[in-house]
Each structure stands twice: as structure tokens, then as C-alpha cells.
Amino acid sequence: MCSVLMPRAPLRRVAVTGGTHGNELSGVYLVRHWLQDPSELQRPSFSTTPVLANPAAAAACRRYVDCDLNRAFTCTLLLSRATPDDPYEVTRARELDQLLGPKASGSDQAFDFVLDLHNTTANMGTCLIVNGSHNIFAMHLSHHLKLQFPEVPCRVFLHQPLQSAAPESNTLDSVAKNGMTVELGPQPQGVLRADVFSRMRALVASALDFMELFNQGTAFPAFEMEVYRNLGSEDFPRTEDGDLAGIVHPQLQDRDYEPLQPGAPIFQKFSGEDVRYEGHATVYPIFINEAAYYEKHVAFLRTEKLVISVPPLPALPPPLRVSNPSGTTGPVFPSEQGS
Amino acid sequence: MCSVLMPRAPLRRVAVTGGTHGNELSGVYLVRHWLQDPSELQRPSFSTTPVLANPAAAAACRRYVDCDLNRAFTCTLLLSRATPDDPYEVTRARELDQLLGPKASGSDQAFDFVLDLHNTTANMGTCLIVNGSHNIFAMHLSHHLKLQFPEVPCRVFLHQPLQSAAPESNTLDSVAKNGMTVELGPQPQGVLRADVFSRMRALVASALDFMELFNQGTAFPAFEMEVYRNLGSEDFPRTEDGDLAGIVHPQLQDRDYEPLQPGAPIFQKFSGEDVRYEGHATVYPIFINEAAYYEKHVAFLRTEKLVISVPPLPALPPPLRVSNPSGTTGPVFPSEQGS
């Protein structure tokens, strides 16, 4: 994704993607429903396209068929020459890049925003994953969603560590001009819970409402917001052969976003002894005991909790606003994005 | 399984099986641990063998590779001629039948008891699954476990409906002379929760303690016990194409074992409307929203709640007792089982 600060033109094309992981069912079934009946996605000033991102994995109710689709959106993979031996998800990533991007060109062809829908088995509640705090539009969208659902804690996770040489984003939302990932839990893989389903549906509706407000010329003032920033991951204890030697400690399980002090127990070995956290500072674990991360050697992510100041999102200048909120799409403007 | 009422000889060989479904991780990792260190399974009067029932599925962290192993233990499949095209689980069922059975002969070769360890994504707590109330030994074992863990509700589910022509049992525990399934939840597939792991470990220890007491000549008096008996299953609402058209209603989700009245909402369609329960009598749903049952077209099982009288389990006659509790195995007796 190019380094978007804030759009200077209305959003025209938005995609809502589900089933990037085929066993995270809230997004799978919301997208399947919207493909039949897209009425609740419609807004006056822009089009919204529902996309089932990994149809083969969704059909098999598995995270992926050959490899994790949501790690396949690197420019290297997207631009490499296709071969018959390519993993299914690499081929599918190229198709999605054609549909929603292309990522590499930075051209006007790409969708303006991708909202990618996920579930986690961790006790994460509502988590909005933004690449970094420089993404002013996504930060304002997150702030809007937090205010819309005050009864449910809604956290913002900055995925990319604050490093001068942050790694290239490899996730689906990186193919469009801008994007965000919605992560709801806890929900087991292969299960559709009504409470999580309704929450995701309401979040998507509210996100589209925010985009409509922006397109209509609403200005959004500066604010301060609590965020969790990625510091890296912690693996399970392992045997010499690499097998699991223990399990997330009961005192850590389900305590996503809570402070973890140095010396606190984080794992319980099968042999009975505790493993304690050896870091030097308090961290805030998230994605604790996420099923899909066992194979990635991630028992949880360490984050730091920060309060950051987000600058205002100014109103679009009048000539650029969509001035017709009556239900028809407003005039088409050249796409302009800050960098 | 032959129609066991109660054993008339000490148990000599017990198997504890885990990973019959490869993504139900409590049993997978308990068995892997016991294969390394079986000390906690040892009792003076009998041997206990840990068995990883479906190693290929456990390695892939999937329920099964080709088909559900825990439906493959029919005499028809076990006795049919092997072919190169047999599903992996059919081949594996025959191997387990050789190891723990054979089921068909009713001979002395079979293990005396199989305790098969499972997890569910449903809010089932501790559920002990017994084929029927005629299984006096398993009913006494269940009663013992309920008394040992009074702080956690521990329910008994009679799997086979009360019918004169009950279908042949097709589950792993049916290959031995007797058996029981332990089902603990809620736990997502592919996740190992410390609380569930500890509970399963303690239940197995307590079950082995009960067998030891029995072998040593303890008599167990008659009792009355609440049980849930299988009445059949309820499918999700479906589209004409067979796809899901709705989801377990939030008022039913997580309410396993609670009464469901006729007319109460059971599903919420994606279109928004509720589906209500059309039965004529109160039932007690269990396995509500179990991930593995979507493909079996089961949203939940309907059960009836009963209080049944279980006759005493008499002490083994003195010549048959294992009279040496000092740590060595007692004298070997001919195996005798009631019919």
C-alpha cells in the first residue's frame, strides 16, 4: 500500500472482503449473503463490492488450501510469472490484485478502500487492524467505529512496528489504495456465532456510513486515541523436536489487552512447571492462543499501549464533494490520494 | 460392543485414546505427553495404554483426512476386505480394531475398557457419553466422576436412543469390551486451553482410580442419576441449494442442557427473521453449534432429561479380586463379561 495519509477525493469504489481465511465464518457468510442481496451495502455516493476472497478455502472450511492468502500480497509474489505449480492462494492473490488493485502501480485503477473481515479464536472482542498511525483516514474510521459502539470495547491495533524500514505489507487490504482489517472474536474456526455475526454486520454498516459522511463533505476533528502497537511475537515452549511442550497459562488465557508484567506466568508446561515472561517491560498481549498461529510459532503478540494524537481529517473542498445525497452517485472526480 | 451390563472380572487392559478427531487438541496432547511419560496412568491392578487414534489427522490438525474415524467402527467396515482405495480412516479403524478389539468376535482379546477423549466447540462443560443406561459399569464410572468434581457440572448423555432396534454403534469405544467417551467444551478446534486440558487430565486420573477401586473389590451401591437421552438432531435452516440460510439464535447459543420450549426461537435467518422450535414437547439441546456438525447437518441434538435408577455394582467375588495393591499386577483371571 502506498503511504496514504488522507484521501483528497471522494471514495468511489469500496470492497468488503470476507473468507480471506475460509474457516473464519462471519465474513464468509456475510459476503455470501451480500452477493445475493447487496442492498444493505448501498450508499449514495460510492459503490461497495462484496468479495469472497478465498472461495476454495471457504468451500473446504479451512484457513487456506495451500498457503496463507493473507501473507501472499507481496509485490514479489504478485508480479512474478505465473506457473502451473503456483500454490492456489498465490494465483488467487494475483486475481484479487487484478480485481482490487493493482498494488504495484499505485495507479488510479485500484479500489479506494478494502475492509477485510476476519475472526479470531482469541478473546479479542472488536479489534480494528490498521497498518500504522500515518493512515489518518483509517484512524478516523476507527475512531468513528469506537464512538458508534460504546457498549463493546473496540481496540485499534497498529500492525506495523514503528521502524524506519518496516517490512512490506503482505495482507489483502494492501492491494487497494487504502484499507483496514476487522478482527472479531472469540469465535471458533468453522463456527458462526450470532453475536459475532451481528457485530460484524453492524461494524461494516457503520464503516460505510463514515465513508458516506466523508464523501458528503464532513470534516472530522483531531482526537487522541489509545492504540496497541506491535512489538513482535512470543512462541510456545517447544521440545527439541519442535513440538509443543506447554500451553498458554490459565492466568494469561483470555486476557488480551491486559498488562503482562515481567515475571508473570505465560505458559504451563505439560510436565507441570510454569514458564514466566522474561521481558523487561510491561507489554499488552493480543491474539492469545489464536488457533491459526500455532503453525506460525506465535502463542501471542506483544504490544505496547500508547495514546496517540491524530490530526483532523479535513472536509473535502466543495468542488470535490459528492453534492447529491439523493441516492444517485455523484459526479466522478479524479482520484487523488496524499502520499 | 456387546451388551455389557457389568464386568465380573477385574479390568486388565485399559486404553485411553485421544486425537480420534485430530483437531480436538486436549486428547491429542495428553496422549502425546503420556506416550513420553506414562507414569500418571499407572495403577497397581491393570495396565493403561495411551493411543493417538488418528495420527495423520492430528499431524494435519484436522478432524479427519478422508472421513470421520469415529463413524468408521461398524462391523461392516471393519470386516470388509481392505483395498488400496480405502479411506485413510477406514484403514486406521481396522488397525485400532486389531489393537483394541476385535469388536466382531466378542472374544477375550479385546481391551476391557476404552476411554475416548474429545472436545467440542459447544458450551457442554464436562459431558460423559455412554451408549445406554444398560451399561452399568459406565454409569457407575460416570456417577463416580460426578461426585469427584462437584464444582463443575458433569452431565451424562445416553447416546443411543431407547429403541428396540438401536443402530449398531460406530464409535471407537465400541471396539473394546466396554468404553465411554469424554467430551469437554467449549474449546475451539485447533486450540489447547489450559483449563480444559487440566480438567480432562483430572477426569482420566479419576476414571482410572475408579477402575482400581473396582478391581480391589469395592462395591458400589445403587443410585439415581439425571441423564440426557438422545432424541435426534435439528438441522440449520437451508437454502434450496443446501447452503446455510441462518445461524443458531442468540437466545439458544451456549444454552446446552437448558430446556427449549415449543415456539422458542432456535435460528436467526440471514434475512433477519427468526425460526422457532416446532416440536410439541420441551427438549434439552446439546452440542449446540458444534463446528464439526455443520457438515453433518446438525445444528444441535435434541435430548430428553430423565432421572434413572442404576442398580448396584457388586464387589467382585473375593477369588476374583486383585488382592495385591502393592504396585504389582495381581493374578490374571479369565475375562468374564455379562451380556
Side-chain angles (χ1 to χ4, degrees), chain B residues 310-329:
Chain B
V310 178
L313 180 64
L316 289 172
L320 290 178
R321 286 179 200 163
V322 175
S323 55
N324 176 6
S326 64
T328 57
T329 303

Side-chain angles (χ1 to χ4, degrees), chain A residues 102-268:
Chain A
K103 172 175 178 164
S105 71
S107 78
D108 280 352
Q109 291 175 52
F111 269 58
D112 295 298
F113 204 90
V114 168
L115 197 63
D116 193 29
L117 307 180
H118 288 255
N119 295 120
T120 171
T121 65
N123 188 27
M124 296 267 285
T126 299
C127 184
L128 308 172
I129 306 181
V130 178
N131 49 350
S133 59
H134 64 285
N135 191 339
I136 306 298
F137 186 80
M139 296 303 284
H140 275 271
L141 170 55
S142 300
H143 184 59
H144 176 82
L145 294 175
K146 282 168 78 82
L147 295 175
Q148 293 298 304
F149 301 98
E151 70 284 1
V152 182
C154 176
R155 275 86 167 206
V156 175
F157 171 48
L158 302 182
H159 182 246
Q160 290 188 355
L162 188 65
Q163 294 166 350
S164 54
E168 182 196 4
S169 176
N170 53 9
T171 53
L172 169 54
D173 63 348
S174 71
V175 300
K177 292 176 190 163
N178 203 346
M180 191 168 86
T181 298
V182 176
E183 188 81 62
L184 297 195
Q187 180 171 272
Q189 295 177 344
V191 166
L192 201 51
R193 285 184 64 97
D195 50 359
V196 177
F197 188 82
S198 302
R199 189 161 24 119
M200 190 173 274
R201 197 172 193 167
L203 279 161
V204 171
S206 206
L208 299 179
D209 290 344
F210 172 82
M211 295 172 196
E212 180 63 26
L213 286 171
F214 174 76
N215 277 1
Q216 298 300 343
T218 306
F220 297 90
F223 58 91
E224 294 204 324
M225 186 163 67
E226 192 177 86
V227 299
Y228 296 81
R229 189 163 57 189
N230 195 4
L231 293 174
S233 64
E234 197 80 23
D235 191 14
F236 292 93
R238 302 259 170 195
T239 66
E240 287 183 1
D241 298 332
D243 298 330
L244 282 195
I247 187 172
V248 168
H249 198 280
Q251 289 181 34
L252 180 61
Q253 178 68 46
D254 300 329
R255 303 229 170 131
D256 300 76
Y257 311 108
E258 294 185 23
L260 174 69
Q261 315 288 350
I266 52 176
F267 300 112
Q268 205 166 49

